[in-house]
Amino acid sequence: AWIDQVIKQEEIDKYLINGKDFIDEGKILKNLEEGHNPDPVKIREILQKSLAIERLDPEETAALIHVKDPDLWEEMYATGLEVKRKVYDNRIVFFAPLYCSNLCVNSCVYCGFRTDNTREKRRILNMDEVQDETRAVVSEGHKRMIVVFGEHPLSDADYMADAIKNIYKVKVPARSGYGEIRRVNVNAAPMSIGDLKKLWEAGIGTYQVFQETYHKETYARVHPAGLKANYRWRLYALHRAMDAGIDDVAAGALFGLYDWKFEVMGLLYHAMDLEQQFGIGPHTISFPRMTPASGSWLTTHSPWKVDDDTFKKLVTILRLSVPYTGLIITARERAELRREVIKVGCTQTDASTKIGIGGYTEALKVLNNVQQGDQDEDAQQFILGDTRRLDDVVRELAEMDMITSFCTAGYRCGRTGDKIMGLLKSCTEGKFCKLNAVLTFKEYLEDYASPETKAVGEKLLEKELAEIRSIPFFKRGKLLENFENYYQRISTGERDVYI
Ligand code: SF4
């Protein structure tokens, strides 16, 4: 009965074109078939198109998928990084996930939260606990959070809206002033337009729904029951969000359920349909790989598991196919691999991550954090590959000449949706973001960094400042003058100033 109340057929049908989905399996298989044995000259032309920050057509992505020549792959990796630098410069945006509830009515066979997993320790945070978790996350230095919920009547849109509002209320004393979460993104089940409007009113940033697999037969097999068994309700979740006013939406697929080539094509078609129906594609794309989950046989035995080398390739293909879309690599992956794929074009990542319900508060209770790396398979959705603290990852990136950004200014200045996409496509957003990345990085170093990280970070800041002062774009109007002024004010203790 609850399923019938939640799923609104008319909010699926309105997005079909001639009664059909944008995922046409026959078309995808044909693209992939015709992409075999690509001509290297053609591949180099495609790379030029990516460098011009144009989205690729499916035939072009299919050709990239079939490249076998290792030298050509090296060119593709290098172009991926170049595209990223053009659009996003050398910055990486950080966020922290906050799991609020593991109650779930669904039966996804790859997930520890599935309803029939009797080993799972179930829990839903009350609002005091949401605030406690937020305090722990803010104390690490984070400014962005993504809240995650299982699908259950107890964690409905009203609960989510409450959680968002409570997170924004939290202020935690820092070395100078206080820290806070300035942007709350949501990863949750597909909702009706009415429910999505509640999240919009509560101040949601990005709304993230992963299709998991675009392959219908596989989808049906791994989602045998519950609301999630409805493929189309999920397929149009981001469309409904756009209609609800949430113009930053995030797509993703869980790699390892089906053939990675099909999923990459599915993500591209998803981006294209959003562009066609709303004028803008997804704000970000995620590509988690299936990792072991409590009591899940599939997570360790799937024939479609993606090895490290293939993973790096698929991330590169996505970077080249949707040059202006953010790409998220998470702490599911081991540190070495994260380093590798950040180099081919990822733009966002997490650190100090805890995915057990109440996990941040628990970790704080452990003296000296000696259990920082411990994970409880029966209390979390999957097992993390990288449990390092934010400070360690920030330092590592600074040593790689990459600047950590905690910037949330774009959203608060109205640079979202089609406005931010326009700026990204023209490579202008990267310039604003460079200034704000420097300002927020300075804040982080002042308020949270260890002495080692501060030393490495200050060196990087000197380089960044020299670069900013030499770029003609920044000398326009009062941009540079304002920036220098804000930088100075942060050095003397003022917080949250941005361009
Ligand atoms: Fe529930 Fe999501 Fe896990 Fe499926 S993947 S069982 S919907 S929490």
Side-chain angles (χ1 to χ4, degrees):
W2 188 57
I3 291 178
D4 291 340
Q5 278 170 29
V6 172
I7 295 181
K8 300 194 170 2
Q9 190 59 40
E10 67 280 11
E11 293 189 7
I12 297 174
D13 294 344
K14 67 183 283 201
Y15 304 113
L16 303 181
I17 296 182
N18 300 324
K20 290 194 176 145
D21 292 327
F22 60 83
I23 293 294
D24 178 338
E25 290 186 15
K27 221 190 226 177
I28 292 180
L29 293 177
K30 189 163 175 276
N31 293 148
L32 287 172
E33 183 56 38
E34 290 174 356
H36 278 289
N37 303 317
D39 178 352
V41 175
K42 174 78 188 150
I43 294 296
R44 292 193 176 100
E45 282 169 18
I46 295 171
L47 297 186
Q48 287 309 311
K49 187 172 173 185
S50 302
L51 277 171
I53 318 302
E54 282 180 50
R55 181 193 34 79
L56 299 186
D57 294 325
E59 301 73 25
E60 294 164 331
T61 295
L64 295 183
I65 283 173
H66 288 296
V67 170
K68 297 226 162 37
D69 176 1
D71 292 337
L72 203 44
W73 265 109
E74 289 306 319
E75 282 180 47
M76 288 165 64
Y77 295 141
T79 311
L81 181 57
E82 211 181 321
V83 166
K84 191 237 156 175
R85 290 254 165 167
K86 240 176 140 173
V87 181
Y88 290 92
D89 205 0
N90 63 336
R91 72 198 159 85
I92 301 287
V93 170
F94 270 80
F95 65 90
L98 171 56
Y99 279 66
C100 291
S101 162
N102 59 358
L103 306 179
C104 191
V105 296
N106 292 314
S107 311
C108 313
V109 298
Y110 48 83
C111 177
F113 291 176
R114 68 192 182 282
T115 190
D116 54 351
N117 182 16
T118 48
R119 283 165 50 175
E120 185 74 14
K121 299 161 189 158
R122 305 284 167 180
R123 191 173 163 199
I124 179 165
L125 299 180
N126 62 37
M127 291 306 138
D128 287 342
E129 290 169 326
V130 166
Q131 290 207 0
D132 287 345
E133 287 285 278
T134 305
R135 263 178 222 111
V137 168
V138 170
S139 304
E140 291 282 325
H142 279 291
K143 298 282 184 281
R144 269 176 202 239
M145 196 179 245
I146 181 152
V147 272
V148 186
F149 310 86
E151 184 161 28
H152 194 276
L154 291 179
S155 54
D156 61 7
D158 293 316
Y159 172 84
M160 291 180 207
D162 253 9
I164 294 171
K165 288 179 202 161
N166 273 282
I167 290 165
Y168 281 131
K169 279 184 203 160
V170 171
K171 311 267 180 222
V172 184
R175 282 181 205 143
S176 187
Y178 58 84
E180 67 200 331
I181 294 296
R182 298 174 185 159
R183 167 146 173 123
V184 182
N185 299 331
V186 171
N187 175 307
M191 278 170 251
S192 66
I193 295 172
D195 279 346
L196 286 159
K197 282 184 177 162
K198 291 181 186 173
L199 303 191
W200 176 238
E201 281 152 20
I204 184 178
T206 303
Y207 174 59
Q208 185 181 63
V209 177
F210 301 160
Q211 186 62 23
E212 320 294 13
T213 172
Y214 287 92
H215 187 252
K216 289 175 190 162
E217 197 188 311
T218 305
Y219 188 94
R221 205 167 42 241
V222 299
H223 304 111
L227 275 160
K228 201 162 166 180
N230 190 317
Y231 177 93
R232 279 183 165 172
W233 181 242
R234 196 165 190 90
L235 195 63
Y236 295 100
L238 303 182
H239 292 61
R240 290 192 294 280
M242 291 273 194
D243 270 338
I246 304 171
D247 50 8
D248 281 347
V249 296
L254 180 61
F255 282 84
L257 292 175
Y258 186 57
D259 187 353
W260 68 270
K261 304 180 197 76
F262 191 96
E263 307 298 11
V264 166
M265 297 300 290
L267 285 164
L268 179 66
Y269 274 105
H270 202 162
M272 285 166 53
D273 199 63
L274 289 168
E275 276 177 15
Q276 191 185 334
Q277 299 207 36
F278 299 96
I280 41 169
H283 185 63
T284 57
I285 289 181
S286 298
F287 27 81
R289 282 194 298 182
M290 204 160 59
T291 51
S294 164
S296 168
W297 182 87
L298 182 76
T299 51
T300 46
H301 291 80
S302 170
W304 299 111
K305 291 193 87 173
V306 171
D307 62 37
D308 290 355
D309 192 42
T310 309
F311 185 65
K312 185 176 167 188
K313 287 181 174 161
L314 77 85
V315 175
T316 307
I317 294 166
L318 286 169
R319 173 71 294 145
L320 297 167
S321 300
V322 279
Y324 41 81
T325 299
L327 294 185
I328 300 180
I329 177 78
T330 69
R332 268 184 192 251
E333 301 296 346
R334 301 175 335 272
E336 315 83 76
L337 189 64
R338 284 221 282 180
R339 266 194 296 278
E340 276 301 297
V341 296
I342 280 176
K343 283 190 220 150
V344 294
C346 289
T347 58
Q348 289 196 26
T349 196
D350 56 335
S352 291
T353 300
K354 301 275 178 290
I355 55 172
I357 313 298
Y360 292 101
T361 325
E362 286 304 314
L364 273 187
K365 283 183 199 156
V366 180
L367 264 185
N368 299 325
N369 261 349
V370 285
Q371 287 184 357
Q372 185 72 22
D374 286 3
Q375 299 189 62
D376 180 355
E377 192 181 70
D378 295 330
Q380 57 193 62
Q381 199 179 23
F382 52 86
I383 295 296
L384 295 169
D386 186 356
T387 53
R388 286 176 303 159
R389 298 186 70 156
L390 179 61
D391 185 72
D392 296 324
V393 186
V394 168
R395 185 170 63 252
E396 176 182 272
L397 288 173
E399 282 163 351
M400 290 162 67
D401 258 354
M402 293 195 186
I403 188 162
T404 295
S405 174
F406 296 95
C407 171
T408 53
Y411 316 105
R412 291 181 292 157
C413 297
R415 295 200 295 273
T416 61
D418 56 350
K419 286 174 228 76
I420 198 165
M421 276 295 158
L423 292 168
L424 288 169
K425 286 178 187 173
S426 64
C427 302
T428 308
E429 178 65 10
K431 297 197 172 56
F432 281 110
C433 291
K434 189 175 190 67
L435 302 182
N436 286 321
V438 166
L439 295 175
T440 56
F441 191 49
K442 177 74 177 159
E443 262 191 26
Y444 175 81
L445 295 181
E446 295 292 330
D447 285 347
Y448 299 100
S450 63
E452 304 80 50
T453 302
K454 194 164 180 194
V456 178
E458 292 285 1
K459 256 195 199 156
L460 177 61
L461 275 181
E462 277 171 30
K463 256 170 92 176
E464 294 290 327
L465 289 174
E467 193 186 324
I468 287 169
R469 287 169 186 148
S470 71
I471 294 177
F473 177 87
F474 294 129
K475 293 181 184 157
R476 291 187 200 169
K478 290 192 164 233
L479 203 51
L480 185 59
E481 196 184 311
N482 286 344
F483 166 75
E484 300 271 12
N485 174 280
Y486 290 170
Y487 190 85
Q488 198 46 43
R489 281 158 59 185
I490 288 174
S491 308
T492 53
E494 196 172 328
R495 295 291 172 261
D496 201 18
V497 287
Y498 50 86
I499 306 283

